[in-house]
Amino acid sequence: QVQLVESGGGLVQPGGSLRLSCEVSGRSIFQINHMGWYRQAPGKQREMVASIISGVRETYADSVKGRFTISKDNVKNQLFLQMNSLKPEDTAVYFCMIRGIVDDYWGQGTQVTVFS
């Protein structure tokens, strides 16, 4: 079974930083061509935050460019999202996703709240 577990969320003040981790089991992320982070904020649609495509190309939502960095560790089989200069509008549940052969796999999400 493929399982994704996010961690690292929490409450942080504006301008602060958080590092999200996604532990993947049941599938080697080395073989995954599309993986990334999505977020769902209250009253908003789920949106792509950052992705790694074909193992080499990083894509980011315009709203997080220059502030967020996606990375992965093939040995640890983990995906990361470094979030700096956090803003209140970054508040959301963040989900990790990897694209499989016949389906996409999602974690349960981790809450990120940016508030003074």
Side-chain angles (χ1 to χ4, degrees), residues 40-106:
Q40 178 78 59
K44 299 182 66 176
Q45 297 181 350
R46 181 177 296 183
E47 64 174 341
M48 189 277 292
V49 177
S51 298
I52 301 177
I53 302 175
S54 298
V56 294
R57 184 164 69 90
E58 302 174 8
T59 62
Y60 296 92
D62 289 340
S63 59
V64 307
K65 286 182 178 178
R67 300 188 298 118
F68 290 12
T69 303
I70 188 171
S71 62
K72 63 185 179 73
D73 188 323
N74 291 328
V75 176
K76 296 180 179 179
N77 218 45
Q78 294 183 344
L79 186 68
F80 306 99
L81 183 67
Q82 179 66 46
M83 305 186 295
N84 299 325
S85 301
L86 284 163
K87 305 175 181 180
E89 50 263 45
D90 294 320
T91 296
V93 178
Y94 284 72
F95 299 89
C96 176
M97 184 275 288
I98 63 171
R99 181 150 294 164
I101 299 175
V102 298
D103 199 9
D104 295 337
Y105 300 94
W106 297 83

Side-chain angles (χ1 to χ4, degrees), residues 16-37:
S17 298
L18 285 174
R19 178 178 168 87
L20 305 183
S21 299
C22 174
E23 300 182 21
V24 180
S25 61
R27 183 72 58 86
S28 174
I29 64 172
F30 178 78
Q31 299 175 306
I32 301 299
N33 292 326
H34 192 131
M35 65 195 78
W37 292 92

